């Protein structure tokens, strides 16, 4: 039957003396993922292209070594049995274990690299929600070109969704990235007008002219939907 990884490692260590090499398998990819996974929540480490390249090279190495072992085993079986493609590994468990170790190392490297890319994409998406569409240059400089493209496309998709989510033609799109805990629960709040929507009728029937840059004192129930929409910005309490 199929050898499990622990058994494969034991065979390789005992037969080939591969202890040091086995411990080094996927080390680069592990360090790559650890750096981004252990980073502070709102910190994006610089994209480590060199280390990622070395992890990819290790995958290629394991693939080539596994292919060489498979070809050698096929040739040995052909010479012994005169049958093309015979794959009886029972007489050569060391080679079988080595193939398995290379195969598992390939999978582990790939999983770690994918986790690295995923973790960075999650941080990039979080920046869009926390900082808006104007991500600081020092953060962009830490991204790979592919990540900059991802950030641009994610911003476009999110903006298009928010534009289509508006329920009132006067208010336009809903800014889903605003803090859902705002506005505060005081009866009256001071607000600054960010977008021009013309006249606004409060629940009391009063008409307020919301001109960009103007300040108003509104009831919380009137200000709340406008703050969520991004029309108003909370400035203080009454």
């Amino acid at each position: 039957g199929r050898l499990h990884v622990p058994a494969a490692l034991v065979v390789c260590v005992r037969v080939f003396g591969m202890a040091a090499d086995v411990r080094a398998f996927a080390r680069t990819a592990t360090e790559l993922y650890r750096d981004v996974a252990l980073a502070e929540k709102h910190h994006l480490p610089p994209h480590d292209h060199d280390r990622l390249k070395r992890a990819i090279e290790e995958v290629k190495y394991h693939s080539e070594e596994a292919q060489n072992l498979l070809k050698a085993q096929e040739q040995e079986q052909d010479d012994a049995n005169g049958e093309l493609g015979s794959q009886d590994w029972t007489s050569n468990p060391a080679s079988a274990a080595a193939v398995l170790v290379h195969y598992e190392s390939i999978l582990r490297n790939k999983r770690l690299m994918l986790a690295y890319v995923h973790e960075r994409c999650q941080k990039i998406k979080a920046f869009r929600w926390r900082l808006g569409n104007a991500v600081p240059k020092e953060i962009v400089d830490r991204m790979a070109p592919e990540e900059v493209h991802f950030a641009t496309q994610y911003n476009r998709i999110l903006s298009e969704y928010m534009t289509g989510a508006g329920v009132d033609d006067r208010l336009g799109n809903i800014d889903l990235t605003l803090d859902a805990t705002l506005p505060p629960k005081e009866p009256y709040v001071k607000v600054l007008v960010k977008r021009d929507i013309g006249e606004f009728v409060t629940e009391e029937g009063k008409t307020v002219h919301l001109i960009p840059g103007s300040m108003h004192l509104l009831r919380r129930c009137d200000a709340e939907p406008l703050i969520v929409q991004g029309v108003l910005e909370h400035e203080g309490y009454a």
Side-chain angles (χ1 to χ4, degrees):
R2 183 176 183 271
L3 289 174
H4 297 292
V5 176
L9 289 173
V10 170
V11 171
C12 287
V13 169
R14 290 179 178 175
V15 177
F16 300 112
M18 294 174 61
D21 292 337
V22 169
R23 285 196 299 269
F25 287 172
R27 178 178 295 173
T28 299
T30 300
E31 294 172 350
L32 187 71
Y33 172 70
R34 184 185 294 119
D35 285 349
V36 67
L38 298 182
E40 295 182 4
K41 182 178 180 181
H42 299 308
H43 175 67
L44 180 71
H47 184 268
D48 198 337
H49 175 77
D50 291 338
R51 195 178 290 177
L52 185 61
K53 184 178 180 180
R54 292 202 304 272
I56 293 173
E57 289 299 323
E58 184 180 329
V59 170
K60 293 180 180 178
Y61 161 77
H62 287 299
S63 178
E64 291 172 357
E65 290 296 308
Q67 289 297 322
N68 290 337
L69 287 167
L70 289 171
K71 290 178 180 178
Q73 176 67 13
E74 288 181 356
Q75 184 62 49
E76 181 179 333
Q77 293 295 321
D78 291 345
D79 293 342
N81 303 327
E83 298 177 5
L84 183 62
S86 177
Q87 287 291 326
D88 181 8
W89 293 89
T90 56
S91 61
N92 196 354
S95 293
V99 170
L100 184 56
V101 169
H102 287 302
Y103 173 73
E104 294 292 346
S105 296
I106 290 172
L107 293 183
R108 178 168 176 77
N109 272 288
K110 287 185 175 181
R111 285 194 296 267
L112 287 165
M113 286 187 285
L114 287 173
Y116 174 76
V117 172
H118 174 75
E119 192 72 22
R120 290 183 63 84
C121 286
Q122 291 298 100
K123 286 180 175 289
I124 291 171
K125 290 193 292 184
F127 285 131
R128 173 60 181 88
W129 285 82
R130 190 168 66 89
L131 303 176
N133 56 11
V135 178
K137 183 177 183 299
E138 58 266 23
I139 294 178
V140 175
D141 289 343
R142 298 176 195 150
M143 300 181 189
E146 295 81 6
E147 292 174 331
V148 174
H149 178 72
F150 170 80
T152 301
Q153 293 302 309
Y154 182 77
N155 177 59
R156 178 185 62 79
I157 293 171
L158 182 59
S159 298
E160 290 178 356
Y161 177 79
M162 291 191 295
T163 299
V167 295
D168 190 322
D169 291 338
R170 296 182 308 151
L171 302 181
N173 62 293
I174 298 176
D175 190 349
L176 299 175
T177 66
L178 292 178
D179 189 344
T181 63
L182 294 177
K185 299 304 182 182
E186 281 69 16
Y188 287 87
V189 293
K190 294 178 183 178
V191 293
L192 172 67
V193 180
K194 304 295 290 183
R195 297 213 317 264
D196 186 1
I197 63 170
E199 295 182 346
F200 175 74
V201 180
T202 68
E203 290 188 0
E204 295 178 333
K206 297 179 181 180
T207 300
V208 181
H209 296 276
L210 299 179
I211 302 173
S214 62
M215 298 282 293
H216 299 270
L217 182 64
L218 298 177
R219 294 174 64 195
R220 180 188 60 80
C221 59
D222 292 320
E224 181 173 293
L226 299 181
I227 293 177
V228 173
Q229 296 282 352
V231 175
L232 303 178
E233 182 177 289
H234 173 244
E235 290 292 318
Y237 310 125

